[in-house]
């Protein structure tokens, strides 16, 4: 049972435009959400996170939005740059569990 | 500051053998996590160690085991290897365990190929 779902395995976006990566979850106990970015042959690196008490968190070009009622979060990257081409994983956890549940990832390709 | 380091980078084993993967966390981090990334699947949680104890494990059979040493480094052992164990094994570490949301930092992974 996939509790964290990234339904788009891939996404292509023109350089300079906005990239929107989506993530849905089914477990209502999740209260903390994170996005990780992964280049080939490297481990995932932390990008941005959001707590369930907020609906938006912004860090430079990256913004994460959380819609708790829809159990949906999204990562916006604007403007998109070629270096953003990577696989993006969303992850979720619930207080005290310390176990991140990851989605299957979305491969983002930025077209120059 | 050194990040999470894993060894070996690549490992080839035959079915039925045992594999041992090693992980050194970031200095000062006490929690170590192991994840498996098999082809076409997301990151699957395997094990979480903190202060030398196994705190949680994912839905993997008992032939996946490990331990954490007093210096907080960790080993993942996979016994009786099966072909479907071929995957990238990622280790991660974090500082403390008190709250959810501790950022975990990943190593570059160990590729295990079972033939």
């Amino acid at each position: 049972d996939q509790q964290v779902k990234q339904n788009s395995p891939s996404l292509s976006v023109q350089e300079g435009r906005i990239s929107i990566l989506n993530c849905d979850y089914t477990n209502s106990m999740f209260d903390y959400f994170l996005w990780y970015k992964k280049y080939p042959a490297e481990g995932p690196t932390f990008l941005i996170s959001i707590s369930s008490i907020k609906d938006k968190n912004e860090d430079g070009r990256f913004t994460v939005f959380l819609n708790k009622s829809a159990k949906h979060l999204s990562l916006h990257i604007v403007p998109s740059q070629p270096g953003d081409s990577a696989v993006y994983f969303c992850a979720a956890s619930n207080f005290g569990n310390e176990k991140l549940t990851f989605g299957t990832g979305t491969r983002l390709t930025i077209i120059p | 500051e050194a990040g999470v380091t894993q060894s070996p980078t690549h490992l080839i084993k035959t079915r039925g053998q045992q594999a041992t993967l090693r992980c050194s966390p970031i200095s000062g981090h006490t929690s170590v996590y192991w994840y498996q990334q098999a082809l076409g699947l997301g990151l699957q949680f395997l094990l979480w160690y903190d202060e030398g104890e196994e705190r949680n494990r994912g839905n993997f059979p008992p032939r996946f085991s490990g331990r954490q040493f007093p210096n907080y480094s960790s080993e993942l052992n996979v016994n009786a290897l099966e072909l479907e164990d071929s995957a990238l094994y990622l280790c991660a570490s974090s500082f403390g365990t008190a709250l959810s949301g501790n950022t975990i930092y990943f190593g570059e992974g160990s590729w295990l190929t079972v033939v």
Side-chain angles (χ1 to χ4, degrees), chain B residues 21-112:
Chain B
L21 307 176
R22 295 179 178 84
C23 173
S24 292
I26 291 172
S27 178
H29 286 191
T30 59
S31 276
V32 170
Y33 309 79
W34 287 95
Y35 284 83
Q36 181 198 65
Q37 185 180 13
L39 191 65
L41 298 177
L43 296 167
Q44 306 291 318
F45 170 72
L46 261 168
L47 289 159
W48 166 38
Y49 291 97
D50 180 64
E51 298 287 355
E53 301 284 331
E54 181 182 302
R55 303 293 186 183
N56 201 355
R57 65 180 292 129
N59 295 325
F60 282 84
R63 57 191 187 82
F64 286 83
S65 65
R67 53 181 172 166
Q68 186 179 33
F69 300 98
N71 66 354
Y72 302 114
S73 67
S74 177
E75 266 182 9
L76 173 69
N77 296 295
V78 188
N79 294 317
L81 284 165
E82 300 178 2
L83 295 178
E84 51 265 34
D85 297 333
S86 296
L88 175 66
Y89 289 84
L90 289 160
C91 172
S93 72
S94 70
F95 175 73
T97 66
L99 298 172
S100 66
N102 284 311
T103 300
I104 67 173
Y105 297 88
F106 284 85
E108 297 192 354
S110 293
W111 285 98
L112 172 63

Side-chain angles (χ1 to χ4, degrees), chain A residues 32 36 43-44 95 97-100, chain B residues 33 45 56 97 99 101 104 107:
Chain A
Y32 199 83
Y36 282 81
F95 181 80
N97 192 337
E98 297 294 337
K99 180 182 87 172
L100 288 179
Chain B
Y33 309 79
F45 170 72
N56 201 355
T97 66
L99 298 172
I104 67 173

Side-chain angles (χ1 to χ4, degrees), chain A residues 81-97:
Chain A
Q81 299 174 354
D84 296 330
S85 294
V87 177
Y88 289 79
F89 290 95
C90 72
S93 71
N94 59 287
F95 181 80
N97 192 337

